[in-house]
């Protein structure tokens, strides 16, 4: 049998690894909410140019948060008065320079115009909670295998978009792999949809799906559980589950 204290300790340290990134997401959400409330107080709809006010803060987050490779606010379609969709997104390159993400969001010409089905947008919108999406190859931003941490933004109870931050998977794995390998059984981490975020188990590679358990229910319940011979340990309030075989 595995030591519950050891499991809880690993889950807590995984939480600590990502909590700083979610702290960044929370600050972006707060700044976006304040900006959109100011615009609403002027009696008008926001436009894409209004979101430029977020840029100094976004640049600062990229400069001070080591795990973060991209940050921004993604508007819900129909929020802005001048464009149907918008990503106010900034990312740091390999040279350290901060650059905007420039996308063609015209639905007549772009495959990226509808981002509402991507987990980093859909999960916060549908659950009202913060989410970890991926890992996935981020063709939208970096062509890197990445995780996206996101949280919903609401104005007057209405969903208006998400605040988000990207983390390269190689950086996340470097941070958590020693923790997983310290467990006496080969463990892996999954998100709410069962997507493997990091793994010390060769049977469950990063990016693959772990099927069977309802990981969303485990996260909502916020307490360890079992599914067959698997031990499921939520990482506190971080939306990842530690999956450990019991045999």
């Amino acid at each position: 049998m595995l030591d519950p204290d050891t499991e809880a300790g690993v889950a807590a340290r995984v939480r600590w690894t990502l909590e700083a990134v979610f702290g960044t997401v929370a600050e972006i959400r707060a700044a976006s909410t304040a900006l959109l409330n100011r615009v609403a107080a002027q009696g008008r709809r926001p436009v894409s140019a209004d979101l430029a006010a977020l840029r100094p803060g976004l640049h600062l987050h990229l400069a001070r948060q080591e795990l973060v490779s991209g940050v921004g606010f993604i508007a819900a379609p129909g929020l802005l008065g001048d464009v149907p969709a918008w990503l106010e997104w900034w990312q740091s390159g390999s040279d350290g320079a901060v650059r905007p993400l420039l996308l063609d969001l015209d639905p007549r010409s772009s495959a990226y115009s509808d981002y509402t089905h991507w987990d980093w947008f859909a999960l916060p919108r549908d659950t009202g909670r913060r989410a970890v999406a991926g890992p996935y190859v981020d063709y939208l931003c970096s062509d890197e295998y990445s995780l996206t941490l996101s949280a919903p933004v609401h104005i007057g109870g209405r969903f208006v978009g998400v605040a988000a931050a990207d983390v390269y998977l190689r950086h996340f794995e470097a941070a958590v792999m020693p923790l997983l390998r310290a467990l006496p059984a080969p463990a892996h981490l999954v998100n709410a949809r069962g997507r493997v975020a990091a793994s010390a188990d060769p049977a469950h590679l990063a990016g693959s799906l772990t099927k069977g358990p309802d990981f969303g229910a485990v996260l909502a319940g916020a307490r360890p559980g079992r599914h067959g011979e698997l031990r499921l340990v939520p990482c506190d309030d971080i939306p990842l589950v530690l999956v450990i075989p019991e045999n």
Side-chain angles (χ1 to χ4, degrees):
M1 294 291 293
L2 297 175
D3 182 349
D5 290 336
T6 301
E7 297 173 4
V10 169
R13 291 180 69 184
V14 171
R15 174 189 180 277
W16 179 85
T17 299
L18 286 184
E19 194 58 66
V21 180
F22 269 123
T24 292
V25 172
E27 291 183 29
I28 297 168
R29 177 168 62 176
S32 302
T33 301
L35 171 63
L36 294 172
N37 276 326
R38 287 197 300 272
V39 172
Q42 297 170 12
R44 63 180 180 86
R45 287 179 68 186
V47 294
S48 56
D50 290 318
L51 300 180
L54 299 174
R55 292 174 186 174
L58 298 178
H59 296 179
L60 182 60
H61 290 310
L62 286 172
R64 74 183 187 188
Q65 177 50 258
E66 291 184 2
L67 272 182
V68 170
S69 59
V71 290
F73 169 75
I74 302 93
L79 172 69
L80 303 177
D82 60 331
V83 290
W86 188 263
L87 291 87
E88 186 61 44
W89 192 263
W90 291 76
Q91 52 200 18
S92 53
S94 57
D95 58 356
V98 174
R99 299 182 177 89
L101 176 66
L102 302 175
L103 287 178
D104 176 10
L105 294 176
D106 187 336
R108 297 168 297 181
S109 58
S110 173
Y112 301 120
S113 61
D114 181 11
Y115 43 71
T116 61
H117 62 283
W118 291 45
D119 274 358
W120 48 259
F121 191 92
L123 279 170
R125 178 196 62 200
D126 297 345
T127 67
R129 298 190 296 268
R130 58 189 190 173
V132 175
Y136 62 100
V137 179
D138 189 0
Y139 294 115
L140 196 66
C141 298
S142 63
D143 291 333
E144 283 260 7
Y145 220 32
S146 301
L147 300 173
T148 301
L149 283 63
S150 56
V153 178
H154 293 92
I155 299 295
R158 179 171 68 100
F159 173 78
V160 295
V162 301
D166 278 348
V167 174
Y168 290 151
L169 184 65
R170 53 190 166 89
H171 295 158
F172 177 65
E173 286 186 316
V176 302
M177 195 63 72
L179 304 176
L180 299 182
R181 288 176 175 157
L183 291 165
H188 59 287
L189 289 162
V190 302
N191 68 10
R193 297 200 192 279
R195 185 73 63 184
V196 178
S199 178
D201 184 349
H204 296 277
L205 300 179
S208 65
L209 280 172
T210 298
K211 298 180 180 180
D214 185 344
F215 296 109
V218 173
L219 291 169
R223 63 182 61 187
R226 287 182 172 82
H227 182 88
E229 296 182 346
L230 296 177
R231 179 99 169 127
L232 310 175
V233 183
C235 296
D236 297 329
D237 57 350
I238 291 290
L240 289 176
V241 177
L242 182 62
V243 182
I244 313 166
E246 293 193 312
N247 294 319

